[in-house]
Every structure is written in C-alpha cells, then in structure tokens.
Amino acid sequence: SKQKKQQQLQEKVKAKAEQIQQLQADIEAHQKQLTALDQDINTAVTNIENTKNDFFASYQHLVTQIEGDVEKMQTHLK
C-alpha cells in the first residue's frame, strides 16, 4: 500500500509540474501580448499627438491668414 501511495504522489508531482510549465507558458504568452499592446498604445498616442500638433499648426496658420485678410479688408474699405 505504501508503494501505491508513493506512485500516486509521484503522479501528482508530475501532474503539478506539468501544470506549472503550462502556467509559465501562459504567463510568457500574456507578457508578450502586454508588450505588444504597450507598443500599440504608444504608437497610437504618438499618432494622436502628431495629429493634434498638425491640427493646431494648421489652425494657427488659418487664424493668421484670416486676421491678415480682415486687416486688408479694413484698409481697403476705409
């Protein structure tokens, strides 16, 4: 009976070791996914910031043109 119990414990240890290996593989896969998501997020944030800056520059240029046009109209209408 002790040999049977020993065999059962060995099988449990083997099964637990396999579970640990599977969990480690899962953790590694999830860490890779997290890294990829972090890169995607950083890329998206950079693109958003670039778009915002481009929009602001375009807006400022347009405002400057409109202000110049208003000054020209005031000058020519006097």
Side-chain angles (χ1 to χ4, degrees), residues 54-64:
D54 291 345
F55 176 80
F56 186 72
S58 297
Y59 172 78
Q60 288 296 94
H61 180 70
L62 186 61
V63 167
T64 302

Side-chain angles (χ1 to χ4, degrees), residues 20-68:
I20 289 171
Q21 287 177 342
Q22 181 60 45
L23 289 172
Q24 287 175 333
D26 290 348
I27 288 170
E28 190 174 318
H30 290 134
Q31 286 175 334
K32 287 180 182 178
Q33 289 176 343
L34 280 172
T35 300
L37 284 173
D38 285 343
Q39 290 173 349
D40 289 347
I41 289 168
N42 289 336
T43 300
V45 167
T46 300
N47 288 341
I48 289 169
E49 286 296 317
N50 289 339
T51 301
K52 181 181 106 176
N53 292 337
D54 291 345
F55 176 80
F56 186 72
S58 297
Y59 172 78
Q60 288 296 94
H61 180 70
L62 186 61
V63 167
T64 302
Q65 280 185 332
I66 291 171
E67 288 172 347

